[in-house]
Amino acid sequence: MFTIGVLASGKGTNLQAIIDYIKEENLKIKIGVVISDNPSAYALERAEKEGIKAICIPCEKYKTILDKKTEIEYVKVLKENNVELVCLAGFMRVLKKTFIQNFPNRIINIHPSLLPAFPGLESWRQALEYGVRFTGCTVHFVNEGIDTGPIILQAVVPVLPDDTPETLHKRIQEKEHIIYPLAIRLIAEGRVSISGRKVYIK
Ligand code: GRF
């Protein structure tokens, strides 16, 4: 069994997509723990409903990062639960050195744009305001930059003339729910390797 940990701050639709895909495909992947920094994250409820261990570790000191002590706490819980791959699914804090060094090339994220375009927050809104014809989503390894790690998978989504930020985000999320579970599966099956910035898939 390959054990993953999921970190989520919000509604957790990606978490749900991962849970459903593991079940549908009968994969040898276990979600060992779901951790949130937000006590009211619906992701925690989703995990509990599925019988998955769900823990809230808040960090009141900062809004967009974790303080060092809290980072150590996250790492401890992930390791105690034998997590081999950390999956960020709408986790709204940037991970720092302590965290990243504990899971070298073992942290991935789903981002709602075709990176390197539109890193940061509300990328669907950025894409709409910029006027691009196509945007999408990216699964990438996490390094110390913001949305800058090596790219594993991407999917393209058209921007339609009457799109609102909400309709565009919804269309992007439909693709996220396909490529994120798939990327996890590829890593779990040992089919992904990294060389510099390039990711190779067997
Ligand atoms: C997604 O749009 C993801 O790309 C971004 O945060 C959002 C999380 O959505 N990183 P959900 O909580 O999985 O529904």
Side-chain angles (χ1 to χ4, degrees), residues 94-109:
V94 177
L95 303 184
K96 297 297 202 191
K97 220 182 203 133
T98 310
F99 201 126
I100 292 169
Q101 285 179 347
N102 270 282
F103 293 96
N105 291 336
R106 286 281 155 187
I107 309 173
I108 61 173
N109 181 43

Side-chain angles (χ1 to χ4, degrees), residues 97-170:
K97 220 182 203 133
T98 310
F99 201 126
I100 292 169
Q101 285 179 347
N102 270 282
F103 293 96
N105 291 336
R106 286 281 155 187
I107 309 173
I108 61 173
N109 181 43
I110 176 82
H111 181 80
S113 75
L114 290 175
L115 289 171
F118 312 125
L121 294 176
E122 297 202 329
S123 308
W124 58 89
R125 195 184 297 276
Q126 294 184 50
L128 202 58
E129 284 169 6
Y130 196 93
V132 292
R133 299 286 189 201
F134 292 92
T135 183
C137 50
T138 303
V139 183
H140 63 95
F141 284 104
V142 172
N143 62 13
E144 282 180 43
I146 295 182
D147 305 321
T148 54
I151 290 170
I152 306 166
L153 293 178
Q154 292 187 300
V156 177
V157 171
V159 181
L160 303 181
D162 51 2
D163 260 333
T164 62
E166 291 71 31
T167 59
L168 181 56
H169 188 208
K170 186 168 175 285

